[in-house]
Amino acid sequence: METRVDEIAERIYRLSTFLPAVGPSGFTFNQFLVDAKEPLLFHCGQRALFPAVAQAVARVLDVRRLRWIAFSHVEADECGALGEWLAAAPGATVTHGAVGCAIWLNDQAPRPPARWPTARPLDLGGRRVQRLDTPHVPHCWDAGLLYEETTGTLFCSDLFTHVGDPPALTEGDILGPAIAAERQFGYTALTPATGATIRRLAELRPRTVAVMHGSSFTGDAAPVLGRLAEFYDDLLQKGTAARGA
Ligand SMILES: [Fe+2]
Ligand SMILES: [Fe+2]
């Protein structure tokens, strides 16, 4: 198992492991490393991936320098290897939203978590990251997404999930493959707030979208997010029976 490293925005690295046996055509599991004075890792990966992902981080910086570990929501690919990362980086703190700390981390984290400050971005020294609470988007009550202000990078977790092992970064279409994957897996927790939450992300006008499964996107992301919101609004109106249509 090998994890490849690609810089998708200045000092923002995509760590990608392709697992060919997952799903019909394989699946990438991507973590993102923000290289700053206080480096931040977004998503831990599953425990089985930890040795390969840790080697990938080490190609960019000393793993022991990691200061922050964050993830969108509690699932194995987002935070399974949290214990391994905290052991490898003694100065690292896991940080999550208020709900995630209350329902999971305060009890389960090997070290006390820090609640992400909601009123201001987290200043990493050279990079500034804000967290947006996005309950149930893509899924799970504790879900939240990150936005790095300097590079205009939205870390969108499972939004835009698509299958296969496509290029690390594309200016091309990620919406079509994402809609196909949604129809196939039905992974989004569709609620009346889904479309509005995604439109809130579009208002940030991201220039890069860091996708957890599939290619990341570079370019004007607001219209793409807008069309994704429309797709979910439409799906909600038609009812979940249309999901596989
Ligand atoms: Fe997920
Ligand atoms: Fe995921």
Side-chain angles (χ1 to χ4, degrees), residues 19-189:
L19 299 186
V22 177
S25 51
F27 214 54
T28 51
F29 291 86
N30 306 325
Q31 301 76 38
F32 295 93
L33 176 65
V34 181
D35 179 19
K37 193 171 168 207
E38 297 187 3
L40 177 145
L41 181 70
F42 186 58
H43 294 152
C44 300
Q46 300 92 322
R47 287 186 297 161
L49 265 56
F50 175 76
V53 181
Q55 275 183 17
V57 169
R59 276 182 250 151
V60 180
L61 51 84
D62 186 336
V63 174
R64 289 169 298 182
R65 275 193 55 220
L66 283 175
R67 174 67 186 87
W68 300 103
I69 294 173
F71 50 89
S72 165
H73 53 274
V74 171
E75 278 185 320
D77 57 335
E78 278 77 10
C79 64
L82 175 62
E84 282 79 354
W85 286 109
L86 289 176
T93 300
V94 58
T95 177
H96 200 19
V99 169
C101 288
I103 67 171
W104 184 257
L105 281 176
N106 287 343
D107 183 66
Q108 296 289 320
R111 286 202 291 275
R115 207 170 119 176
W116 192 289
T118 48
R120 58 187 163 75
L122 190 60
D123 190 343
L124 305 181
R127 292 287 176 271
R128 286 162 56 91
V129 182
Q130 51 176 287
R131 182 185 190 277
L132 296 95
D133 281 329
T134 59
H136 307 294
V137 176
H139 40 241
C140 299
W141 182 23
D142 58 315
L145 302 175
L146 301 189
Y147 179 68
E148 200 288 305
E149 297 176 349
T150 319
T151 57
T153 302
L154 173 68
F155 298 88
C156 73
S157 180
D158 295 330
L159 283 182
F160 292 111
T161 283
H162 47 288
V163 302
D165 190 15
L169 190 63
T170 181
E171 296 176 355
D173 178 35
I174 59 167
L175 184 65
I179 288 174
E182 181 64 68
R183 291 197 190 284
Q184 193 171 2
F185 303 116
Y187 61 85
T188 298

